[in-house]
Amino acid sequence: MGLKTVTSEFEGFLEDRKSRFLAHLVPLDLFEQRLEELRKEHRKANHVVTAHRRLLDDGRIEESGKDDGEPAGTSGMPTLRVLQGADLINCAVMIVRYFGGTKLGGGGLARAYSGAAQDAIANAVLVPFQKVLVKQVSADFAGSSELERRIDGLGLTVLSRDYTEDGVTLTVEGPEEALAAL
């Protein structure tokens, strides 16, 4: 699986028969805060449709698409399918819709929402997804400096150092592959 993600927010736009669709692709940890901000910023918008995908610790993928008052299945699910098709994980897309006065129908809504999400993804800088884990490693005092060099060389982050009478225990964070190499 060549999963990808984003590390900052990206926007997309689509207009169809005077309805405007403003898409916001964000890392999952910004989702709730950004959704609240968008609802305040776009009080006159008719809908804010959302979709997200998250990799759970056990390897399963949690995902959802919410229609926010649009006819069932015409907005949230088509938006989620765009995230799935792009192999995106641990990110979310929110699409603000301003109604233009002409009904688009179920197919028109699905095309518009998925088109806005695709535009945001096209504007995004996608990075390969790496599962980040935390691991504890120990060394005696004589080997601690060598351990620190290896950790630094693998690009890992030391979260804490606990010194004991036998040596040091480091809590290290980083990509799963780098931790396995340690």
Side-chain angles (χ1 to χ4, degrees), residues 13-81:
F13 176 78
L14 187 132
E15 188 168 334
D16 186 352
R17 289 171 265 182
K18 296 185 182 174
S19 280
R20 294 184 344 222
F21 299 84
L22 313 167
H24 300 265
L25 177 65
V26 299
L28 196 58
D29 55 349
L30 299 179
F31 175 58
E32 294 295 331
Q33 173 193 340
R34 195 64 182 109
L35 180 59
E36 188 178 316
E37 291 169 0
L38 287 172
R39 288 192 190 282
K40 288 179 183 173
E41 187 179 328
H42 297 279
R43 290 188 193 277
K44 292 185 179 183
N46 299 80
H47 307 278
V48 181
V49 167
T50 62
H52 85 276
R53 298 186 78 210
R54 170 196 335 249
L55 184 65
L56 300 174
D57 290 337
D58 62 7
R60 292 179 301 128
I61 295 176
E62 171 192 276
E63 53 191 13
S64 77
K66 301 216 169 128
D67 295 321
D68 192 40
E70 292 283 24
T74 61
S75 51
M77 283 310 294
T79 303
L80 176 60
R81 283 193 202 96

Side-chain angles (χ1 to χ4, degrees), residues 158-172:
V158 176
L159 299 177
S160 68
R161 288 175 183 83
D162 295 316
Y163 294 96
T164 65
E165 58 190 46
D166 299 324
V168 63
T169 299
L170 303 175
T171 303
V172 184

Side-chain angles (χ1 to χ4, degrees), residues 132-137 147-148 151-152 155-163 168-175 179 182:
V132 175
L133 299 176
V134 175
K135 180 179 181 178
Q136 286 191 330
V137 292
L147 179 60
E148 291 265 3
I151 288 170
D152 191 47
L156 300 171
T157 304
V158 176
L159 299 177
S160 68
R161 288 175 183 83
D162 295 316
Y163 294 96
V168 63
T169 299
L170 303 175
T171 303
V172 184
E173 177 185 69
L179 282 176
L182 182 61

